[in-house]
Amino acid sequence: MTVTELIKPRPRLPEWLRFQLPTSDSFAQTRTLLDKLKLHTVCESAKCPNHWECWSKGTATFMIAGDRCTRACGFCAVTTAKPFALEDDEPMRVAEATQRMKLKHVVITAVARDDLADGGANHFRQTIEAVRKLNPSTVIEVLVPDFNENDAAIETVLAANPHIFNHNLETVRRLTPSVRSRATYDRSLSVLRKVKARRGDSIYTKSGMMLGLGEAEGEILTAMTDLREAGCDILTLGQYLQPSLKHLPVTEFVTPEKFSKYKTCAEEMGFVHVASGPMVRSSYHADEFALPSGRSGRTAGVAREV
Ligand code: SF4
């Protein structure tokens, strides 16, 4: 049998996952600006299916600390390789892009930098501070790796007072070893729990999962319960799509009706905001979650038990 015969073709996408190509020139403007400022985005690096839509609307999710990741998760299209040194002026370039794109809500993520003692936490801190200085009214959301649960690294990010601290659980407990080989389910919950224990109601915590990797309904509900027990405020649920034939296959295309059902369950569990649908990603329409007035996210607030 030839190699071509051995590779299974990817299944045809259902109707609800067909993408629209851009119809405005905003996409090209976003492309030009990001190139000019030499910024990476997770939209491109992770082959996000919403790339066309988000960039056409003039939004993007910045990926700092390079485009080479020290981990090799089975679902993720970001390149695994020895990373380059951090660029000192990157925080300022992200701040400038936020200003020029007039973002009211910015999402900043990074590759996992297990090669650095702080996992890149100080680079996050500098980026948050630079963005806030130039864009004082912009809501700042960070989507961080687990920092190997390094307390000092978590504290470093929190010291910059992001409004939303996002760390993805990605999948249910049983599938975590095959989906994220260097991460653990309990470590991710612990990171979220620690943030709530340190900052309480002065910060929103957020997490997300991809569906369609072989999880059962009961396992999804258990993961949602575990997230609530860790004090997680905001939840995103989206369809996993295989970025290439080298990545984990899709086992199910979850219907929009099922996503709606999970949204209702999550809201009943007490999440303050839930985005659940086939095209949902951590940062998809992230600005739809409006901070209540008076919640600037810039004060330490009172920690609470979680
Ligand atoms: S959903 Fe997020 S990662 Fe995907 S294109 Fe939109 S902003 Fe980028």
Side-chain angles (χ1 to χ4, degrees), residues 99-302:
Q99 187 182 50
R100 290 173 64 174
M101 292 166 82
K102 300 187 177 67
L103 298 180
K104 297 279 170 254
H105 184 129
V106 65
V107 185
I108 303 161
T109 190
V111 289
R113 290 295 303 255
D114 294 324
D115 58 313
L116 300 173
D118 72 348
N122 193 48
H123 201 64
F124 262 110
R125 178 181 178 160
Q126 290 174 349
T127 306
I128 296 165
E129 289 173 349
V131 168
R132 177 168 293 128
K133 198 164 175 199
L134 219 54
N135 310 270
S137 60
T138 295
V139 172
I140 301 174
E141 173 173 342
V142 287
L143 169 58
V144 300
D146 65 17
F147 297 122
N148 289 303
E149 209 186 329
N150 174 335
D151 286 348
I154 295 169
E155 193 51 56
T156 296
V157 176
L158 291 180
N161 292 314
H163 300 91
I164 301 172
F165 184 104
N166 186 349
H167 173 62
N168 281 336
L169 193 58
E170 305 292 10
T171 188
V172 300
R173 180 183 289 280
R174 177 178 57 85
L175 296 178
T176 296
S178 55
V179 173
R180 301 189 296 156
S181 57
R182 298 266 299 277
T184 75
Y185 183 87
D186 287 317
R187 190 192 296 147
S188 287
L189 290 175
S190 180
V191 167
L192 292 163
R193 190 178 293 114
K194 284 179 176 180
V195 172
K196 262 302 167 194
R198 283 168 164 79
R199 289 295 192 275
D201 288 340
S202 69
I203 196 166
Y204 284 94
T205 52
K206 174 172 173 180
S207 192
M209 287 194 291
M210 305 165 290
L211 307 188
L213 282 157
E215 65 289 329
E217 186 171 320
E219 291 177 306
I220 298 167
L221 298 177
T222 299
M224 287 175 5
T225 306
D226 290 342
L227 284 168
R228 279 302 297 141
E229 281 174 4
C232 183
D233 298 305
I234 302 169
L235 178 70
T236 58
L237 299 173
Q239 170 71 51
Y240 167 67
L241 292 175
Q242 185 183 25
S244 84
L245 291 171
K246 290 186 298 185
H247 292 87
L248 293 169
V250 173
T251 63
E252 179 192 1
F253 289 114
V254 179
T255 61
E257 293 71 31
K258 259 199 181 175
F259 275 109
S260 296
K261 185 179 145 188
Y262 291 134
K263 179 177 165 75
T264 304
C265 292
E267 287 168 347
E268 285 170 4
M269 286 180 189
F271 288 98
V272 297
H273 182 75
V274 182
S276 177
M279 303 305 284
V280 168
R281 299 294 179 265
S282 293
S283 49
Y284 187 57
H285 294 191
D287 58 351
E288 283 178 0
F289 172 65
L291 291 183
S293 56
R295 289 285 298 270
S296 70
R298 298 182 66 180
T299 53
V302 181

Side-chain angles (χ1 to χ4, degrees), residues 41-44 48-52 54-55 59-61 279-285:
T41 64
V42 75
C43 322
E44 270 195 306
C48 180
N50 301 318
H51 181 188
W52 298 107
C54 293
W55 286 27
T59 186
T61 293
M279 303 305 284
V280 168
R281 299 294 179 265
S282 293
S283 49
Y284 187 57
H285 294 191

